[in-house]
Structures are given as structure tokens and as C-alpha cells.
């Protein structure tokens, strides 16, 4: 007996297959359907996803350590002569946006938005990658910003009053450099003007939030709902106002704010696109990992189904093997199998 595979596969295999518990997707205009939402939660898949990105979390911790070190070490104390003090005599005053408020604006606010989206969609892939991208945006920006601050050592606009809090200037008779007699930590901060850390952190976190919202509300769906842009531009406006406050408080020059904003915007954009498609993409609403998981699931089910259709029933193969071991030919086996009486009758057997 010769067993030949079917020349064509069943028509059901020509479309992606999903487990029986999941309804088949409806593909429209080449878009990846929004399926499986709610099936991959933090409780069910959170540990698996986190383990897969364990090295990313370890690098994130390393970036945090580097950021702490860069804030502890002293910056480069740039030469400041008497003729340079003209632009460095602005009043020394408190911050409109205090230091402790920056993480709240740049990290906590986007985190709350991402958390709300998670409770709505129940997609751990989206939640995990959004949080990871947000933290990388903030920490990479922070490390680059503080590394440049320490290397450049540019004096702040209020450096005179940091260096000479009593208003009595003193300069070295040989080099002409300042001889500061203010508080050491105040003078240290006075050499960290370029670029603006408040601005770079704010633009990093809030630019990532703008990208994230763009994908979730489908800003570029070509339906002409321009009002959606107001929601996307709102985080950028908040970041810009933080930067403006740094100039108004005389803690930074305008160049510091411009460089900090540009740095945060670029880093956040790279980090977002590392985890998510561009918002104008048909699948811009979800992370790359989610669609990769769908493709792997479909391919696995499709291959399994195809193998089932091509497989010969094991009972028949086993019967042929047993008949062969008993000295029966395949033709004799099938002749006996075709007898009207298979058991309990001598007429139905050939000896």
C-alpha cells in the first residue's frame, strides 16, 4: 500500500489560525487586528516578559548608579574672570519648579497615563515596554545631561552671587580667576549651567508621553480629527514652560534650555521607536513585542494544524507493522480487513 500526502492543504490553513478560545481576527486594510487584549496581564505574563528583558532592567539600574555618581562628583571649575561677570550678576533666587518636582512631571505623570491605559486594555506587553521606554528616556537623558554639565562647567547667570554672597568680589592677583567665598555646594551648582537638567528631563518624559498618546488615540489615522493634536501637544507645552521657568529664575542661559530640550526630545524619540511602531503606522497603537507574540502564536498553531493534516493515522501504521511481523503481506492484511466479519469467525480470517 502506498500512502501519498495530499497535493493541497485544506483551505482553512490559508488563513492565520488562533486557539479555539480566541475569536478569529478581522483584518482590515492590512492592519494587525487588536486581538488577545485582556489575555496578557501582569499577573499572567508579567514575570515572563520581565525575565525576557532582564538584561534591559540591569542596564537601567547601571544607568541609575552612573547618574548618582555624576551628581556627586565635582564639575569642571571653569575660569571666570572679572570681565566675564557682566552676564553673571543676575539675582540668585529660588526655583519656580523645584528639583523634587521634576521626577513627578517627567516620570510619574507619564507613568499614571500608562497605568490608566493598562487598566483599560489589560496588555502587559504595552505596559512593560512603555514603562521601560519611559525610564530609559529619563535616565539616558539624565546621564548625558549631567556628563556634559560636569565636563563643560559653564557658570550660571547668577554665578556672581553664588561666588560672592556678600557682594564683595575677589580675584586672584596672578591668574585673574575668581576666589569664591560662598557655600561650597552652592558654588558647585553654579558651574552646572549647560545644558538645563530640568528642561532635558521634562522633555524626555513628556515627549515620550506625547509619542505614546499619539499611537493610542491614532492621531495620524487620516480622518482629519485635528483636535487630537491638542492632547499630543499638551505635554510638550508643559515641558516648554518648565524650560522657560529656568531662564526666568536666572538659573540658566537660553542656550542651556534650548540644548536641554533638544536633547530630551531626541532621546525620548529614539527610546519610543525602539519599543513601538511610529504613530502613523497602521499598527502604531501597540508595541513591537505584542505583534511579534501574535505572529509566533499564529505560526505555531498553523504548523501544528498542517502537521495534523499530513500525518497518517498511527493506528493504521501500527496495524501494518503488526501484520508484517506475523508474516502477512499488505494485500493479505487489507483483504482480511475488508471481510464482513472481523472477529469471532473462522470465515472472516485467512490462514
Amino acid at each position: 500500500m502506498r500512502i501519498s500526502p495530499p497535493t493541497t492543504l485544506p483551505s482553512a490553513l490559508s488563513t492565520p489560525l488562533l486557539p479555539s478560545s480566541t475569536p478569529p481576527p478581522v483584518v482590515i486594510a492590512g492592519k494587525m487586528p487588536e486581538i488577545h487584549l485582556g489575555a496578557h496581564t501582569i499577573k499572567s505574563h508579567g514575570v515572563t516578559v520581565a525575565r525576557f528583558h532582564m538584561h534591559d532592567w540591569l542596564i537601567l539600574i547601571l544607568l541609575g548608579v552612573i547618574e548618582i555618581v555624576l551628581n556627586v562628583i565635582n564639575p569642571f571649575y571653569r575660569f571666570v574672570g572679572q570681565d566675564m561677570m557682566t552676564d553673571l550678576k543676575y539675582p540668585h533666587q529660588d526655583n519656580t519648579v523645584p528639583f523634587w518636582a521634576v521626577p513627578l512631571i517627567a516620570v510619574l505623570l507619564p507613568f499614571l497615563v500608562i497605568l490608566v491605559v493598562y487598566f483599560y486594555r489589560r496588555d502587559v506587553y504595552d505596559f512593560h515596554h512603555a514603562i521601560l521606554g519611559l525610564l530609559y528616556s529619563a535616565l539616558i537623558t539624565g546621564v548625558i545631561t549631567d556628563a556634559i554639565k560636569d565636563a563643560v562647567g559653564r557658570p550660571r547667570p547668577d554665578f556672581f552671587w553664588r561666588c560672592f554672597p556678600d557682594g564683595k568680589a575677589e580675584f586672584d592677583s596672578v591668574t585673574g580667576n575668581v576666589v569664591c567665598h560662598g557655600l561650597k555646594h552652592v558654588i558647585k551648582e553654579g558651574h552646572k549651567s549647560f545644558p538645563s537638567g530640568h528642561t532635558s528631563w521634562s522633555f524626555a518624559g513628556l515627549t515620550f508621553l506625547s509619542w505614546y498618546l499619539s499611537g493610542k488615540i491614532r492621531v495620524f489615522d487620516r480622518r482629519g480629527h485635528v483636535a487630537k493634536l491638542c492632547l499630543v501637544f499638551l505635554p510638550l507645552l508643559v515641558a516648554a514652560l518648565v524650560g522657560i521657568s529656568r531662564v526666568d529664575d536666572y538659573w540658566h542661559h537660553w542656550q542651556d534650555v534650548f540644548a536641554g530640550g533638544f536633547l530630551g526630545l531626541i532621546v525620548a524619540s529614539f527610546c519610543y521607536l525602539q519599543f513601538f511602531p511610529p504613530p502613523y503606522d497602521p499598527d502604531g497603537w501597540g508595541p513591537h513585542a505584542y505583534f511579534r507574540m501574535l505572529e509566533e502564536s499564529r505560526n505555531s498553531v498553523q504548523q501544528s494544524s498542517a502537521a495534523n493534516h499530513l500525518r497518517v493515522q498511527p493506528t493504521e501504521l501500527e496495524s501494518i507493522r503488526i501484520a508484517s511481523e506475523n508474516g502477512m503481506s499488505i494485500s493479505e492484511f487489507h483483504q482480511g480487513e475488508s471481510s464482513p466479519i472481523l472477529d469471532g469467525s473462522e470465515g472472516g480470517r485467512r490462514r
Side-chain angles (χ1 to χ4, degrees):
M1 179 183 67
R2 184 175 60 184
I3 303 175
S4 59
T7 56
T8 58
L9 294 177
S11 59
L13 294 180
S14 61
T15 58
L17 299 178
L18 296 171
S20 58
S21 60
T22 304
V26 178
V27 180
I28 302 175
K31 297 181 180 180
M32 182 69 72
E34 295 187 36
I35 55 179
H36 286 313
L37 294 181
H40 305 89
T41 63
I42 295 177
K43 184 177 180 180
S44 63
H45 292 76
V47 175
T48 302
V49 175
R51 283 180 177 175
F52 184 77
H53 291 274
M54 184 63 67
H55 63 287
D56 294 316
W57 287 103
L58 293 176
I59 296 298
L60 194 68
I61 295 174
L62 177 61
L63 288 174
V65 173
I66 295 174
E67 173 67 8
I68 294 174
V69 172
L70 290 174
N71 278 277
V72 171
I73 64 176
N74 290 323
F76 171 61
Y77 289 95
R78 182 172 293 279
F79 174 87
V80 182
Q82 186 172 0
D83 58 340
M84 300 171 61
M85 282 294 179
T86 305
D87 297 329
L88 304 178
K89 288 186 177 182
Y90 289 92
H92 178 55
Q93 58 190 35
D94 293 333
N95 295 286
T96 301
V97 180
F99 286 101
W100 57 264
V102 177
L104 301 183
I105 297 173
V107 179
L108 183 59
L109 178 59
F111 172 79
L112 292 177
V113 175
I114 295 170
L115 189 62
V116 170
V117 174
Y118 169 74
F119 282 120
Y120 175 73
R121 306 179 77 97
R122 297 287 181 175
D123 180 13
V124 69
Y125 291 95
D126 183 270
F127 179 76
H128 177 272
H129 288 72
I131 295 301
L132 193 61
L134 173 64
L135 294 178
Y136 262 94
S137 298
L139 283 179
I140 291 178
T141 299
V143 168
I144 296 177
T145 298
D146 288 320
I148 297 176
K149 277 178 177 288
D150 291 341
V152 174
R154 185 182 188 184
R156 296 183 185 272
D158 59 358
F159 181 79
F160 179 88
W161 296 105
R162 290 173 177 270
C163 188
F164 313 118
D166 57 0
K168 297 179 181 180
E170 183 181 353
F171 298 89
D172 188 275
S173 59
V174 178
T175 63
N177 193 17
V178 293
V179 180
C180 296
H181 48 263
L183 297 176
K184 288 186 178 180
H185 71 276
V186 176
I187 298 172
K188 175 183 175 181
E189 280 297 319
H191 282 276
K192 292 186 175 184
S193 185
F194 182 88
S196 170
H198 274 59
T199 309
S200 64
W201 270 69
S202 297
F203 266 94
L206 296 179
T207 296
F208 188 92
L209 178 59
S210 291
W211 279 99
Y212 186 76
L213 291 174
S214 298
K216 290 298 173 288
I217 65 177
R218 295 176 173 82
V219 171
F220 305 105
D221 58 2
R222 299 183 181 181
R223 295 183 179 180
H225 298 303
V226 70
K228 293 181 179 180
L229 293 176
C230 297
L231 184 60
V232 174
F233 288 147
L234 183 58
L236 298 178
L237 175 61
V238 174
L241 291 176
V242 172
I244 292 173
S245 72
R246 306 306 289 160
V247 178
D248 293 344
D249 294 337
Y250 307 117
W251 277 62
H252 287 284
H253 309 275
W254 70 267
Q255 299 95 332
D256 309 334
V257 172
F258 181 84
F262 182 77
L263 176 62
L265 190 148
I266 293 299
V267 172
S269 299
F270 272 99
C271 289
Y272 179 84
L273 295 176
Q274 180 71 18
F275 296 101
F276 294 85
Y280 56 81
D281 191 275
D283 296 328
W285 55 269
H288 294 300
Y290 177 77
F291 301 115
R292 184 168 59 250
M293 177 273 298
L294 290 185
E295 287 296 330
E296 291 174 353
S297 299
R298 291 172 180 176
N299 291 338
S300 177
V301 174
Q302 187 172 358
Q303 292 173 1
S304 176
S305 179
N308 289 336
H309 281 83
L310 294 175
R311 185 167 42 205
V312 179
Q313 294 184 358
T315 56
E316 182 178 353
L317 291 178
E318 184 68 15
S319 301
I320 296 174
R321 184 182 66 80
I322 294 174
S324 178
E325 290 177 353
N326 293 333
M328 297 174 59
S329 66
I330 294 179
S331 59
E332 290 177 331
F333 168 77
H334 281 282
Q335 183 176 357
E337 183 182 20
S338 61
S339 174
I341 302 175
L342 298 179
D343 296 306
S345 174
E346 294 296 328
R349 303 187 184 189
R350 299 174 64 91
R351 297 185 180 275

